[in-house]
Amino acid sequence: MTTLLGCIADDFTGATDLAGMLARSGVPVSLRIGVPDKVPDNTAAFEVIALKSRTEPVDVAVAECRKALAWLQAAGATRFFWKYCSTFDSTPQGNIGPVAEALMADIGTDQTIYCPAFPENGRAIFMGNLFVGAQPLHESPMKDHPLTPMTDANLMRLLEPQVTKPVGLANRLTVARGAAALRTRLDDLRAQGVAHVIVDAVADEDLHVIAEACQNMALLTGGSAVAMPLPMLWLKDGTLTASQASRTVPDIDSGAIVLSGSCSAMTRAQVAHYLQNATGYLLDPRVLAKDGPQAALDWLAAQPITANPIIYATADPAEVKASQAALGVAQAGSVVENALAQLALQARTMGIGRFVVAGGETSGAVTRALGVAQLDVRCEIAPGVPWTFCQTDGRDIALALKSGNFGAATFFEDALEMELK
Ligand code: ADP
């Protein structure tokens, strides 16, 4: 199968978010962790490559993104999407602008749009200024971000120092007049040599207009929301064929396990809720540091396959502080991650089919242990957290990776009650 749209995301959560948005339409979406060495025969219609380039030095980020682009082109992609954060997280040097310019040069296109708006999550752009809820970006909590503090809300001013070619604006008044008006505005700007166009969007309707107007551009850039309408638009005009758009469901063994290494407030509520009706095993970092994970492995081995148990290190802030004081922050984290990784391997050996993992770092440790580098992204359990299918040790499993504060208190039950499709 040939890929149509190739996406590059500057972090893993952003990639999952984008993949989930595209998969809402029912088309095959594949998420790859890093740039694979080879291009397999059966790439999906929509391919998303997750990088970790958001805060890397500009030259490193550009090189990685170009490598990802080359892989996507080899997979057959002819349209591309550069996904960054909906709060435009970047330093004055980059990496949003330099990567976009490098991709434009390699693709051979002279204009792209920038639309990080995500109205459902309170990110809106008006007259080129980005708002987080009611606050301009530079008054929002993003002003204090440790790595990418955002001190200006104006996307033109933010982008200009990052690129060599002119920056322009297609404002909300144009977008409100519809796709044809927006296309005319983009053509006018192109005639003036404007390569980088910020596009206003304050509501979902605006995103539909933008997607419709820009569906034939070789490169789009922005947050995940503006990409959501693309599959349906391409199905409608025949760019995407019905056979490219169909997906199959693999056979997944029964039995499920929840592994939680997240200590966020929402995960604590989710663990407490799940424990009301499920058996669970609490991991204590100090015990793990002393005795290793064997007791937990033995406990898991004794559970019936239908028990759907939870194993968790999830603890309240005072507990976390106490283990960190005893072991150091790094060791407290790594003994837990290592134990959950080994437990995932044992669950696989037991023939468990569905894995729900809570915690961003924890998810990284579990996917590494299982040797998972590619995920077929399916139905969303909660916004931004899809069920995925992947292969581990030659077997198909279902995997849900949830970072920190995502999902409602019933997230684990919601995940396990869902029909996998
Ligand atoms: P989140 O997505 O909520 O940030 P992460 O998995 O990314 O979750 O990070 C949580 C970190 O805290 C992991 O490194 C994990 O191993 C560690 N951790 C989990 N439980 C404890 C605990 N009880 N004490 C100390 N550290 C813990």
Side-chain angles (χ1 to χ4, degrees):
M1 190 157 320
T2 309
T3 298
L4 171 62
L5 178 72
C7 308
I8 303 168
D10 66 355
D11 80 345
F12 181 77
T13 318
T16 319
D17 174 18
L18 174 63
M21 286 284 179
L22 293 167
R24 278 186 191 178
S25 61
V27 299
V29 181
S30 158
L31 192 163
R32 299 186 192 260
I33 305 168
V35 186
D37 294 334
K38 292 203 187 90
V39 181
D41 294 334
N42 58 343
T43 58
F46 292 73
E47 287 281 346
V48 180
I49 296 184
L51 300 177
K52 270 189 177 178
S53 61
R54 186 166 296 167
T55 52
E56 278 177 337
V58 175
D59 54 339
V60 177
V62 166
E64 273 188 30
C65 290
R66 292 185 65 202
K67 196 171 141 203
L69 176 72
W71 187 94
L72 293 165
Q73 285 173 319
T78 50
R79 323 262 168 120
F80 303 92
F81 195 95
W82 164 223
K83 159 76 176 74
Y84 40 80
C85 192
S86 63
T87 43
F88 215 71
D89 302 13
S90 53
T91 64
Q93 292 74 41
N95 293 325
I96 294 176
V99 167
E101 255 181 4
L103 296 178
M104 287 169 80
D106 286 1
I107 295 166
T109 185
D110 58 0
Q111 191 182 57
T112 190
I113 62 155
Y114 295 76
C115 187
F118 197 153
E120 198 182 313
N121 286 353
R123 311 282 190 271
I125 310 166
F126 186 66
M127 295 301 159
N129 294 285
L130 181 59
F131 290 82
V132 177
Q135 293 172 311
L137 180 63
H138 63 284
E139 292 176 18
S140 77
M142 280 305 295
K143 71 183 190 308
D144 302 315
H145 191 279
L147 302 174
T148 50
M150 301 307 287
T151 56
D152 194 349
N154 187 287
L155 296 180
M156 276 99 70
R157 277 199 302 264
L158 287 170
L159 189 58
E160 254 151 17
Q162 298 187 22
V163 290
T164 61
K165 302 229 170 81
V167 176
L169 172 68
N171 73 26
R172 161 87 172 116
L173 303 178
T174 303
V175 174
R177 293 197 345 258
L182 177 55
R183 258 195 303 265
T184 305
R185 172 72 179 150
L186 291 170
D187 287 343
D188 290 348
L189 288 168
R190 181 184 284 114
Q192 295 163 32
V194 175
H196 307 281
V197 186
I198 312 290
V199 186
D200 277 357
V202 298
D204 283 340
E205 297 82 73
D206 298 335
L207 296 174
H208 282 271
V209 169
I210 297 165
E212 193 186 335
C214 301
Q215 59 176 309
N216 292 320
M217 286 177 97
L219 176 69
L220 302 178
T221 90
S224 57
V226 72
M228 193 172 67
L230 293 173
M232 293 325 268
L233 287 165
W234 287 335
L235 270 172
K236 217 164 108 190
D237 75 1
T239 304
L240 186 67
T241 61
S243 73
Q244 258 180 318
S246 70
R247 54 192 194 190
T248 53
V249 178
D251 280 336
I252 300 294
D253 290 325
S254 58
I257 186 166
V258 180
L259 299 167
S260 177
S262 161
C263 297
S264 74
M266 184 44 85
T267 306
R268 294 206 308 275
Q270 289 160 342
V271 170
H273 198 276
Y274 191 67
L275 280 170
Q276 289 172 12
N277 289 304
T279 47
Y281 186 97
L282 171 64
L283 297 171
D284 179 334
R286 282 161 289 188
V287 175
L288 290 173
K290 196 159 108 332
D291 303 329
Q294 196 54 50
L297 291 164
D298 292 344
W299 181 86
L300 176 58
Q303 301 305 307
I305 194 108
T306 49
N308 297 354
I310 177 168
I311 303 183
Y312 60 104
T314 306
D316 62 34
E319 271 298 312
V320 172
K321 275 212 180 74
S323 1
Q324 289 175 336
L327 302 173
V329 175
Q331 205 205 348
S334 68
V335 288
V336 169
E337 286 169 32
N338 178 43
L340 290 170
Q342 289 196 47
L343 287 155
L345 286 175
Q346 171 153 317
R348 180 178 76 181
T349 308
M350 290 166 71
I352 286 174
R354 285 171 299 159
F355 294 67
V356 183
V357 185
E361 293 300 322
T362 309
S363 295
V366 169
T367 48
R368 270 192 302 280
L370 294 174
V372 169
Q374 190 264 330
L375 305 160
D376 281 336
V377 178
R378 297 297 172 98
C379 45
E380 278 176 306
I381 305 156
V385 197
W387 265 116
T388 70
F389 295 121
C390 57
Q391 288 222 324
T392 173
D393 201 24
R395 196 157 68 84
D396 289 309
I397 60 163
L399 183 61
L401 304 171
K402 181 198 88 80
S403 47
N405 279 317
F406 284 69
T410 53
F411 177 83
F412 298 133
E413 292 90 335
D414 296 346
L416 298 183
E417 278 163 17
M418 257 177 110
E419 185 197 348
L420 294 178
K421 54 181 187 182

